[in-house]
Amino acid sequence: MSLTLRTISREQHLAYIQSLPAASHMQVPAWADVKAEWRSENLGWFDERTGEMVGAGLVLYRQLPKIKRYLAYLPEGPVINWYAPNLTEWLEPMLAHLKQQGAFSVKMGPPVIIRRWEATSIKAGIQNPDVKRLRDIEADFIEPRAFEVADKLRRMGWQQGEDGGAGFGDVQPRYVYQVPLANRSLEEVHKNFNQLWRRNIKKAEKAGVEVVQGGYHDLEEWQRLYEITAVRDHFRPRPLSYFQRMWTALNTEDPNRMRLYFARHNGVNLSAATMLIVGGHVWYSYGASDNIGREFRPSNAMQWRMLRDAYALGATVYDLRGISDSLDETDHLFGLIQFKVGTGGQAAEYLGEWDFPLNKLLHKALDIYMSRR
């Protein structure tokens, strides 16, 4: 197949995404409006023979301080056939185009999964003192073609980025936790939860916890819970304006792209979460909870409701997003994997992010600049 690459309109890009079973929420055209501090461009790959669009990518450009050169970033993209035997013919024109646009370095995140681990394997790993990381456990599923993709990228001169290390903006998680929903009944999904999860869901029901959907006007209440969480978990919260922009941008593109949930007890909101939907892929995106009312298990009730809603939408996967690969109980991120493993899903490892230095000197300068921040 001979390919040509060119800039496309947002409408063309969206139509292509809508024709697919799923794609990352960071590769929909509206994500460019969420990341308003970056310049953006929509790229399309076309089959020269038929003129049909066969791939798309959202590129975000971040300007270097003081000079007109850019880092070009395709978060969790581009959306192309990563297993194509002629992968060079997809990526070479992209690099040439981005160089023309003034990019000194390109960062992308191939949406390719290498390994999966079932919850039972992870639980056994946690109990084994010799196991420190997810990688120490034998995977339940390995995708051999993913290793071929990695080899091809290395041969082309791409460099594998640091695992979840700090990068420009947000480095995407290499390890995620997913609950597969395709060809399963809700009863099966529920049965796969661990005992603690099932008990907590029941406890919340008994206590009268109700889970409701909110709208744009409820984002201030979301922010209140989110900022409580930030103080408790020692991270820097995003401002309210970010979530307002996210809501407006994503739901203007598709009225069902982003949802907001609250779990409340006696009319008091105890926890909240945002959910993102692209085709059959549904993500639990941000979560927040108060320091009070935790004994009513609002977070378990909310996740169970979101999972059921995802199922009702016909989702094939409910994605709980990032986890750390550390299985060390003293690690501050261990609680996160423990909570997610309780859903009985699977941990998945992506190929991670890859960099292509178009200008080695500027790429190196950026690395030094970022490491000092």
Side-chain angles (χ1 to χ4, degrees), residues 8-18 29 42 53 253:
I8 54 172
S9 70
R10 286 179 66 140
E11 292 69 32
Q12 282 173 293
H13 186 170
L14 182 59
Y16 181 72
I17 295 286
Q18 285 167 336
N42 308 78
M53 200 193 306
E253 178 175 276

Side-chain angles (χ1 to χ4, degrees), residues 15 23 37 52 60 124 184 205-206 213 245 260 267 332 366:
E37 68 279 18
E52 184 194 356
L60 301 173
R184 297 175 76 197
E205 264 171 42
K206 260 202 178 123
Q213 259 184 269
R245 191 163 69 231
L260 178 61
H332 72 291
L366 175 75

Side-chain angles (χ1 to χ4, degrees), residues 156 224 318 350:
M156 274 184 243
R224 179 184 75 81
Y318 180 70
Y350 279 92

Side-chain angles (χ1 to χ4, degrees), residues 272-320:
T274 61
M275 180 160 120
L276 299 175
I277 302 151
V278 184
H281 202 132
V282 172
W283 293 263
Y284 153 55
S285 164
Y286 284 88
S289 61
D290 206 331
N291 298 326
I292 58 162
R294 304 185 86 162
E295 67 276 14
F296 303 124
R297 305 296 178 220
S299 294
N300 298 88
M302 187 171 61
Q303 288 295 344
W304 177 227
R305 162 74 191 272
M306 288 165 71
L307 215 150
R308 292 197 320 264
D309 284 3
Y311 189 88
L313 286 167
T316 53
V317 62
Y318 180 70
D319 196 324
L320 291 135

Side-chain angles (χ1 to χ4, degrees), residues 107-164:
K107 183 185 276 295
M108 65 176 184
V112 173
I113 287 176
I114 321 185
R115 302 179 182 84
R116 290 183 187 276
W117 294 266
E118 297 291 348
T120 44
S121 306
I122 300 169
K123 278 179 209 157
I126 289 171
Q127 280 152 12
N128 180 345
D130 296 334
V131 169
K132 295 283 179 270
R133 305 205 158 269
L134 215 39
R135 284 258 182 117
D136 300 338
I137 303 170
E138 196 180 332
D140 294 290
F141 168 82
I142 288 179
E143 174 53 86
R145 294 179 304 170
F147 294 95
E148 288 171 30
V149 173
D151 282 346
K152 284 178 189 168
L153 291 176
R154 276 191 205 98
R155 282 205 297 272
M156 274 184 243
W158 288 86
Q159 300 166 1
Q160 196 156 18
E162 290 298 307
D163 279 10

Side-chain angles (χ1 to χ4, degrees), residues 323-324 326 328 330-338:
I323 51 169
S324 147
S326 169
D328 177 358
T330 60
D331 191 305
H332 72 291
L333 290 169
F334 177 73
L336 194 62
I337 190 166
Q338 211 174 22

Side-chain angles (χ1 to χ4, degrees), residues 35-49:
K35 297 290 170 190
E37 68 279 18
W38 299 65
R39 178 165 72 83
S40 69
E41 185 183 20
N42 308 78
L43 295 180
W45 279 260
F46 294 83
D47 180 343
E48 275 179 12
R49 228 167 11 105

